[in-house]
Amino acid sequence: MTLDRFYPIFDGPDWLARALPLGVKLVQLRVKDKAEAELRQIVARSQALCQRHGAVLVVNDHWRIAIDEGCDWVHLGQEDLDTADLTAIRDAGLKVGISTHDRAELDRALSLGPDYVALGPVYPTILKKMKWTEQGLDRVAEWKRLVGAVPLVAIGGMSVERAAGAFAAGADIVSAVTDITLHDDPEARLRQWIEATR
């Protein structure tokens, strides 16, 4: 299956309920610091919303819940890879996206046969403290040469205005968070994203 080129990341189903009716077809659910019972409700509601709108849901980190709720995708950071049971994930039929920030992490990710590889931060990001400085578009191009046919996601400091450069450098998919969630009019910004990536 070909993934959509626009990949917003949200922290709960309320955002999905706003984004999916506008035509978003690929979305990541990234939820931190919640009790497991609440997490299960959040994932179940998000999965139901995505199914209703014909969208792909990618669950960040919580692979056991993703399996239990019948999700199709998980996203794993490098720390997640230390503890995730990739055999169980694959046996359940889930596809896996993996974060990378340097060459060693990319080599590790590629050894696991990922369904996409994410590179970040392409630009400076305010979302979370990172030990990596901005990677830049040259690194996007380098990563695409190295990953070949594996879809490459550009993330970190991405905006509608920067998307074209990321695609030109070789990214297959562009992911955004704060460019949407901190925007004065998130729905209008989502429409701009969809228009810029279709």
Side-chain angles (χ1 to χ4, degrees):
M1 120 177 257
T2 303
L3 294 172
D4 199 74
R5 285 159 38 98
F6 172 44
Y7 185 20
I9 298 176
F10 297 120
D11 63 2
D14 290 348
W15 275 107
L16 272 65
R18 296 170 70 175
L20 296 172
L22 300 177
V24 170
K25 291 299 177 189
L26 172 65
V27 66
Q28 185 182 127
L29 180 68
R30 181 195 282 161
V31 185
K32 307 290 183 187
D33 306 318
K34 302 278 187 190
E36 183 166 340
E38 187 177 358
L39 270 172
R40 287 187 180 278
Q41 291 179 337
I42 289 170
V43 172
R45 187 174 161 217
S46 299
Q47 174 71 345
L49 282 165
C50 284
Q51 287 178 333
R52 187 178 317 146
H53 290 280
V56 174
L57 176 68
V58 182
V59 177
N60 185 299
D61 186 11
H62 304 292
W63 58 271
R64 290 184 184 88
I65 296 174
I67 291 172
D68 292 345
E69 295 301 329
C71 298
D72 298 314
W73 281 82
V74 292
H75 178 94
L76 300 174
Q78 293 287 318
E79 305 80 18
D80 303 325
L81 289 175
D82 295 334
T83 56
D85 186 340
L86 282 164
T87 301
I89 292 169
R90 292 298 194 189
D91 286 349
L94 274 72
K95 295 185 183 303
V96 179
I98 299 177
S99 294
T100 67
H101 309 87
D102 59 36
R103 188 62 190 272
E105 290 185 353
L106 178 62
D107 290 345
R108 181 189 191 191
L110 290 176
S111 75
L112 299 171
D115 297 286
Y116 74 66
V117 166
L119 169 67
V122 177
Y123 292 98
T125 177
I126 60 172
L127 188 63
K128 54 183 177 180
K129 286 271 187 230
M130 301 186 94
K131 63 183 180 182
W132 295 276
T133 56
E134 62 183 287
Q135 305 275 0
L137 295 178
D138 287 346
R139 182 63 63 87
V140 174
E142 177 190 351
W143 250 230
K144 189 57 191 173
R145 285 193 299 273
L146 294 167
V147 303
V150 177
L152 177 63
V153 178
I155 185 172
M158 298 305 304
S159 64
V160 173
E161 294 75 18
R162 289 171 168 170
F167 287 129
D172 300 288
I173 299 165
V174 171
S175 190
V177 187
T178 56
D179 187 61
I180 300 158
T181 59
L182 298 183
H183 198 274
D184 291 340
D185 187 343
E187 279 81 4
R189 194 58 164 171
L190 283 162
R191 289 188 189 95
Q192 290 177 328
W193 267 104
I194 291 166
E195 188 175 335
T197 54
R198 292 283 154 86

